[in-house]
Amino acid sequence: MLLTVILTASCSKDDESEKLYQSYGVVREDVNISGKLYIRSDNGKVIVPTLSGFLANDSKDRRVWMMFSINNNINSDTIKANIYDFLKITDMDVKSENDELKSDVVYPQAIWVAQDYLTMIIDVMAGSETSLKNHAYTVYSDFEIVNDTVRMEFKYDRNNDALNKQFSKIVALKLDDRISPAQDSKSIVLAIKYLSNTNTYKEEYVVYEK
């Protein structure tokens, strides 16, 4: 929810006549054109890469972030995009029962739900971008709804990595195949517990609207 305000934020390139935009989204398949993939942004835009074949089948239903310039009006429902940077967001692991693994400290910068995905941005320290790939991000929950609330614990494992450089890490969890609210319920509260930098546990609350 905190990031919806920057879904179409722009910044100038060296060439002042061209702007770059950034957006979070999900790769979807056009049901009317078999195999045609596009990105549905969190604010409802259809983003189509100008480069044919840019989106591969293994990207379908993936949570993504991208930076792009445009060939048409940014306010159009369908945007033709020249992609400059494209990130497949890391999926969180899921465990139904908690274990004795102690989490490393979590520094959350933003937590929100969009398009049936829980997305988190956290600050992490790593030896390098390569060693960052060995870090683990796990959600522990039975996804049971109690009084319109689902409780979960987020644990982060740095895998004893070095502390050479800070990164902003984005991770996501697909919710729609895990949580089935009652028919008369329009929203669910997600209570997300994590180990804070004071070595105490905190909870963040976000609303998941079906």
Side-chain angles (χ1 to χ4, degrees), residues 3 8 26 34 41 84 87 95 106 153 171 179 182 187:
L3 288 206
T8 56
V26 177
S34 179
S41 75
Y84 287 88
L87 174 68
K95 293 185 178 181
V106 177
E153 182 172 350
V171 293
I179 300 176
S187 64

Side-chain angles (χ1 to χ4, degrees), residues 135-155:
H135 294 202
Y137 317 86
T138 306
V139 162
Y140 294 79
S141 179
D142 58 9
F143 298 100
E144 181 182 0
I145 302 173
V146 179
N147 297 326
D148 293 328
T149 299
V150 171
R151 297 197 172 276
M152 53 183 65
E153 182 172 350
F154 176 75
K155 290 186 180 182

Side-chain angles (χ1 to χ4, degrees), residues 78-123:
T78 298
I79 298 170
K80 296 180 180 179
N82 304 306
I83 308 292
Y84 287 88
D85 199 359
F86 185 81
L87 174 68
K88 294 180 184 177
I89 295 174
T90 300
D91 292 325
M92 301 183 202
D93 292 326
V94 176
K95 293 185 178 181
S96 59
E97 296 182 1
N98 218 324
D99 54 32
E100 298 302 317
L101 178 67
K102 181 175 173 61
S103 175
D104 286 306
V105 170
V106 177
Y107 297 89
Q109 300 305 307
I111 305 175
W112 77 101
V113 176
Q115 300 195 74
D116 294 320
Y117 277 86
L118 170 66
T119 305
M120 298 178 61
I121 301 179
I122 61 175
D123 284 345

Side-chain angles (χ1 to χ4, degrees), residues 36-205:
K36 180 69 173 181
L37 299 177
Y38 65 93
I39 300 136
R40 171 71 68 177
S41 75
D42 284 357
N43 58 349
K45 303 290 186 181
V46 172
I47 301 177
V48 181
T50 54
L51 183 61
S52 177
F54 179 85
L55 297 174
N57 285 331
D58 62 358
S59 298
K60 188 166 64 174
D61 295 327
R62 286 294 303 269
R63 187 78 167 127
V64 298
W65 170 90
M66 76 211 81
M67 183 172 286
F68 58 94
S69 65
I70 60 172
N71 291 345
N72 57 336
N73 191 332
I74 190 64
N75 295 317
S76 300
D77 292 335
T78 298
I79 298 170
K80 296 180 180 179
N82 304 306
I83 308 292
Y84 287 88
D85 199 359
F86 185 81
L87 174 68
K88 294 180 184 177
I89 295 174
T90 300
D91 292 325
M92 301 183 202
D93 292 326
V94 176
K95 293 185 178 181
S96 59
E97 296 182 1
N98 218 324
D99 54 32
E100 298 302 317
L101 178 67
K102 181 175 173 61
S103 175
D104 286 306
V105 170
V106 177
Y107 297 89
Q109 300 305 307
I111 305 175
W112 77 101
V113 176
Q115 300 195 74
D116 294 320
Y117 277 86
L118 170 66
T119 305
M120 298 178 61
I121 301 179
I122 61 175
D123 284 345
V124 299
M125 300 295 293
S128 66
E129 192 167 357
T130 300
S131 65
L132 180 60
K133 296 177 182 179
N134 296 323
H135 294 202
Y137 317 86
T138 306
V139 162
Y140 294 79
S141 179
D142 58 9
F143 298 100
E144 181 182 0
I145 302 173
V146 179
N147 297 326
D148 293 328
T149 299
V150 171
R151 297 197 172 276
M152 53 183 65
E153 182 172 350
F154 176 75
K155 290 186 180 182
Y156 167 50
D157 183 4
R158 295 183 54 258
N159 199 26
N160 296 315
D161 196 5
L163 302 170
N164 295 349
K165 188 175 180 180
Q166 180 174 305
F167 296 88
S168 289
K169 180 65 181 180
I170 314 171
V171 293
L173 174 66
K174 190 175 183 181
L175 298 170
D176 60 350
D177 55 354
R178 302 183 186 278
I179 300 176
S180 300
Q183 292 183 351
D184 58 348
S185 177
K186 296 182 179 180
S187 64
I188 301 164
V189 175
L190 305 180
I192 305 163
K193 178 181 175 182
Y194 63 92
L195 184 65
S196 74
N197 59 350
T198 60
N199 205 35
T200 59
Y201 286 94
K202 292 185 177 180
E203 271 191 332
E204 297 282 348
Y205 301 91

